Amino acid sequence: MEKITIKIQPTNRPTIIKFEADVFLTRKQNYEFKNVDEAKNSPLAKQLFYLPFTKTVYISGNFVAIERYDIVQWPDVQNEVAAQIENYLNSGEPVIIEDENTPSKVPVTVYAESTPNPAAMKFVANKKLVLQANEFKNIEEAKHSPLATGLFHFPFVKEVFITDNYVSILKYDIAEWEDVVIELREYIRTYIEEGKEVVTKNTAPKDADAPTTQKQDVPLDDTSQEIVDILEEYVKPAVASDGGNILFQSYDQDTKTVNVILQGACSGCPSSTFTLKNGIENMLKSMMENKVNHVVAING
């Protein structure tokens, strides 16, 4: 079992801070505890109320948020609290103990949204599905995603891309969207509503030759980091709205060439490679002066 890590995230309210885990802590519903009695079904929240400055504990998705009393300031105690939560999560003890009153299903809505790629459709849920992007080219690659595996049993499903709160599906030409979109939407909605795990293990490149992003534990040079920041702030939101994703792969300082990987609906789209390449290229040239000459877009 991989070690769970906690990241501290401030909020727009100075008395509340979020402790984000790299795994889901709860999938069925959100919880708010005002005191230790209310926290009887959450051993983690109950433990946090032993901290004298804890006013309210919120548990939702992949984070624990704590509202403090004014007897302390977060910079003085946040690292110790993060370590306490991290140690608890790695102990294997439950975050929430469900009782007979906990609903077995939580209402979920899913709607279908077309993309610029005529072969791709985006299915958007009203809740977070995964903590990082996962792309599956076939059923073998989907072995760590029960949802993607189930989707590949539809004979017209070619590729599956899952990130944040949506699933992008690329289809073969044997089916038209109007004939299958309702069936796919209901399958995805029912699956999520039942609280099943979407991805059991984060996907990784299949081999050394597979396209991959710069690993997080390898420091980026200043120019590469600047490119990543621009992609994250200006490009990714627009690409995500079309059911796709873009990843930074590399930067060649000698040729001033940026390599990016297209995923989801963007991968294989007749127009996206040209449009994105030129759009990103123009943006990077404009924002980074003479550091970028070319952008190469690679289908994931």
Side-chain angles (χ1 to χ4, degrees):
M1 181 178 176
E2 295 184 3
K3 185 177 184 293
I4 298 171
T5 58
I6 289 292
K7 183 168 62 174
I8 299 171
Q9 291 287 359
T11 71
N12 56 8
R13 293 179 59 184
T15 58
I16 298 178
I17 200 166
K18 287 169 66 175
F19 300 89
E20 290 189 351
D22 53 0
V23 298
F24 280 100
L25 306 181
T26 176
R27 290 182 179 272
K28 289 191 174 181
Q29 63 186 83
N30 305 325
Y31 298 88
E32 177 180 341
F33 307 106
K34 295 287 189 181
N35 53 58
V36 70
D37 287 339
E38 290 185 5
K40 61 182 180 180
N41 289 336
S42 175
L44 172 57
K46 192 173 181 179
Q47 185 182 105
L48 292 171
F49 274 110
Y50 283 97
L51 301 172
F53 52 82
T54 298
K55 182 178 181 181
T56 308
V57 176
Y58 309 88
I59 301 177
S60 175
N62 69 316
F63 69 85
V64 177
I66 299 176
E67 182 180 10
R68 63 167 173 78
Y69 288 108
D70 289 335
I71 59 173
V72 298
Q73 298 298 314
W74 276 123
D76 298 329
V77 297
Q78 62 187 25
N79 291 331
E80 290 79 2
V81 176
Q84 180 176 336
I85 295 172
E86 191 172 281
N87 289 337
Y88 181 90
L89 296 177
N90 284 293
S91 73
E93 294 297 316
V95 175
I96 301 290
I97 299 174
E98 297 180 352
D99 57 27
E100 63 274 8
N101 296 320
T102 302
S104 58
K105 293 184 179 181
V106 177
V108 172
T109 60
V110 174
Y111 67 88
E113 187 177 284
S114 60
T115 75
N117 186 348
M121 186 70 70
K122 180 180 175 183
F123 296 86
V124 185
N126 64 335
K127 63 178 295 183
K128 198 173 187 70
L129 304 180
V130 292
L131 302 180
Q132 71 176 50
N134 295 268
E135 185 172 47
F136 309 100
K137 298 288 189 180
N138 52 57
I139 195 168
E140 184 178 2
E141 290 185 8
K143 61 185 178 182
H144 296 302
S145 173
L147 174 56
T149 298
L151 290 169
F152 275 115
H153 282 92
F154 293 93
F156 49 81
V157 171
K158 182 180 181 181
E159 297 178 17
V160 178
F161 176 72
I162 306 174
T163 188
D164 198 27
N165 68 323
Y166 69 85
V167 180
S168 281
I169 297 176
L170 271 71
K171 69 171 180 64
Y172 288 105
D173 291 338
I174 60 170
E176 299 297 330
W177 282 121
E178 56 262 31
D179 298 326
V180 300
V181 69
I182 294 176
E183 184 179 13
L184 286 172
R185 187 183 66 198
E186 278 305 296
Y187 179 86
I188 294 170
R189 186 193 64 78
T190 301
Y191 186 96
I192 298 169
E193 193 173 66
E194 291 176 350
K196 297 177 183 177
E197 200 163 14
V198 175
V199 174
T200 59
K201 181 180 178 182
N202 290 325
T203 56
K206 298 182 291 299
D207 54 57
D209 296 326
T212 180
T213 58
Q214 182 80 32
K215 292 183 179 179
Q216 292 181 349
D217 56 351
V218 178
L220 294 172
D221 61 78
D222 291 343
T223 303
S224 294
Q225 186 59 58
E226 189 176 355
I227 293 168
V228 170
D229 291 342
I230 291 172
L231 293 178
E232 290 287 336
E233 184 173 357
Y234 297 101
V235 181
K236 274 197 173 185
V239 173
S241 68
D242 288 335
N245 190 36
I246 185 166
L247 302 174
F248 170 80
Q249 186 186 45
S250 63
Y251 170 70
D252 188 315
Q253 187 173 3
D254 295 331
T255 62
K256 298 180 181 179
T257 299
V258 178
N259 292 293
V260 297
I261 300 170
L262 305 180
Q263 293 182 315
C266 295
S267 180
C269 177
S271 62
S272 65
T273 301
F274 177 80
T275 303
L276 282 172
K277 175 187 180 299
N278 284 274
I280 298 168
E281 194 169 88
N282 291 335
M283 179 183 293
L284 292 176
K285 284 180 178 179
S286 173
M287 299 180 72
M288 301 186 65
E289 298 179 349
N290 297 317
K291 295 179 181 178
V292 173
N293 286 337
H294 306 288
V295 172
V296 178
I298 305 164
N299 286 323

